[in-house]
Amino acid sequence: MNTSSDPEKKKASSQNSRNSTEHAESGSEKRRPGPMEVLRIARTQLAELTGMAAESVSSFEQTEDGWTLEIEVLELTRVPDTMSLLASYQVECDPQGELLGYRRVRRYERGRADGSKAGGR
């Protein structure tokens, strides 16, 4: 049994493993994320930028330029909770799910229905 080649094999195996991992990572940067991944990325980024908790996504669609979402955010907590202020933010993301911009499109109390805007828009 030749023991001098074992460390060389381990070293070569380690380098091959690292190269395949690096290749897989660079390939994943180019792949387009799925809808659930885009939702998670957009909610997280909006919460970081605004400092407010994203409660839900009320609208979500893929566009030619990426993704458009409408995210409901808790802006002001009140007691009782039905009086808390929520806001809908329209969020634009690139094809990879990175946030490009956002704007508040409406503000409302949690306990009030908005009959004029069907479908969250």
Side-chain angles (χ1 to χ4, degrees):
M1 185 163 112
N2 185 355
T3 57
S4 64
S5 66
D6 286 344
E8 292 172 13
K9 285 182 182 177
K10 286 181 182 178
K11 183 178 179 183
S13 174
S14 174
Q15 287 174 341
N16 288 341
S17 174
R18 190 173 349 160
N19 289 341
S20 66
T21 301
E22 289 170 0
H23 179 70
E25 288 173 357
S26 66
S28 69
E29 291 173 0
K30 294 181 182 178
R31 78 169 177 83
R32 192 171 180 136
M36 290 306 295
E37 192 174 349
V38 171
L39 287 172
R40 283 187 209 98
I41 293 168
R43 286 181 65 160
T44 301
Q45 290 179 348
L46 183 64
E48 287 177 10
L49 289 169
T50 62
M52 295 178 279
E55 292 212 339
S56 65
V57 176
S58 59
S59 175
F60 178 72
E61 66 181 298
Q62 189 171 7
T63 65
E64 291 179 8
D65 300 327
W67 303 89
T68 300
L69 300 87
E70 195 163 304
I71 300 176
E72 307 304 313
V73 173
L74 177 63
E75 287 200 332
L76 182 63
T77 304
R78 290 184 177 165
V79 176
D81 190 46
T82 55
M83 298 302 292
S84 293
L85 288 180
L86 295 161
S88 295
Y89 283 82
Q90 183 177 356
V91 177
E92 303 291 331
C93 297
D94 69 10
Q96 301 306 313
E98 294 296 316
L99 194 139
L100 297 173
Y102 68 91
R103 66 185 179 96
R104 184 171 62 196
V105 292
R106 70 185 173 113
R107 196 172 190 201
Y108 59 97
E109 291 176 340
R110 184 186 299 274
R112 297 211 179 179
D114 187 5
S116 64
K117 294 189 178 189
R121 294 198 126 203

